[in-house]
Amino acid sequence: MTLHTRIRQHFLASIETKQKALTQLETPLVAAAQRVLSTFNAGNKILSCGNGGSAGDAQHFSSEMLNRFEKERQGLAAIALTTDTSTLTSIANDYSYERIFSRQVEALGRPGDVLLAISTSGNSANVNKAIEVAQQRGMSVIALSGKSGGTMQALLTTNDIELRVPSDSTARIQETHLLLIHCICDLVDHLLLGSAND
């Protein structure tokens, strides 16, 4: 197999995954964007978390909200729980790595807030612990996952929104998670600012 063929295979697999995701996730994506906007409109905030590439996605989402996406607007209250190394390492050291996000949710989460929980497998113990604590605090969850949904899907309630990418490939799931995040950002801007200049 040539290098050019391998590249084409990656592109085609990514396109196929996104096409499947469009079919399955269009309606829950609208619900997720509406939940995010209603959270901001109520004066609440979004907390986001994930590990590795999913940590990068959590930070990407919060930066798009706090700063801007593609249109000028006010900053929106979003906090990535993945960025403060002193907090992360002290919690991991004093308690356990499983509690690095849930401990922050305990301190920062309020009823009406939303947790954006990202795990490609749905089996990240620290993300799932954050979901449990968020629900205990009266928060709802928007869960980005893939594969079978893992143990995460069993934690979700009817008040939560699941965006599970139909793929078993971590790379394809991560690529699609970024698209889902961009869709949410765009829909929030559209709902806030209207369709002018779309």
Side-chain angles (χ1 to χ4, degrees):
M1 180 187 302
T2 70
L3 297 181
H4 292 277
T5 299
R6 292 187 70 86
I7 290 168
R8 282 194 294 272
Q9 286 182 340
H10 282 295
F11 271 78
L12 292 172
S14 186
I15 290 166
E16 181 183 5
T17 300
K18 289 168 182 168
Q19 288 174 328
K20 288 180 182 176
L22 172 61
T23 302
Q24 297 181 23
L25 300 180
E26 186 174 358
T27 298
L29 256 177
V30 169
Q34 291 171 331
R35 177 72 56 84
V36 168
L37 182 63
S38 65
T39 299
F40 291 140
N41 284 340
N44 293 105
K45 62 187 175 295
I46 314 290
L47 304 179
S48 58
C49 65
N51 297 285
S54 297
D57 287 340
Q59 293 162 212
H60 189 120
F61 174 81
S62 69
S63 70
E64 304 285 25
M65 294 292 103
L66 282 166
N67 184 28
R68 63 188 291 274
F69 182 52
E70 292 187 322
K71 297 180 180 179
E72 290 298 329
R73 57 152 167 77
Q74 66 185 28
L76 302 169
I79 302 170
L81 304 180
T82 55
T83 59
D84 185 341
T85 55
S86 295
T87 294
L88 294 170
T89 55
S90 69
I91 295 169
N93 185 63
D94 293 349
Y95 297 97
S96 70
Y97 190 73
E98 185 175 322
R99 293 188 64 184
I100 61 170
F101 301 134
S102 62
R103 188 78 170 148
Q104 294 183 76
V105 173
E106 289 171 4
L108 300 172
R110 300 291 181 268
D113 289 347
V114 168
L115 177 69
L116 178 64
I118 309 173
S119 171
T120 57
S121 67
N123 290 320
S124 300
N126 53 9
V127 174
N128 289 338
K129 183 67 175 172
I131 289 174
E132 293 174 344
V133 171
Q135 291 167 335
Q136 292 165 9
R137 296 191 64 79
M139 299 169 60
S140 61
V141 176
I142 298 173
L144 272 62
S145 67
K147 302 183 182 180
S148 68
T151 53
M152 175 187 280
Q153 57 89 26
L155 297 174
L156 302 177
T157 70
T158 55
N159 190 44
D160 302 321
I161 299 169
E162 182 183 30
L163 300 171
R164 187 194 309 175
V165 176
S167 176
D168 289 323
S169 165
T170 298
R172 302 292 85 86
I173 295 165
Q174 287 178 327
E175 291 159 5
T176 308
H177 279 177
L178 183 56
L179 178 58
L180 299 179
I181 287 168
H182 281 166
C183 285
I184 293 170
C185 293
D186 174 72
L187 292 176
V188 167
D189 279 3
H190 175 76
L191 292 168
L192 265 178
L193 304 172
S195 58
N197 302 317
D198 274 0

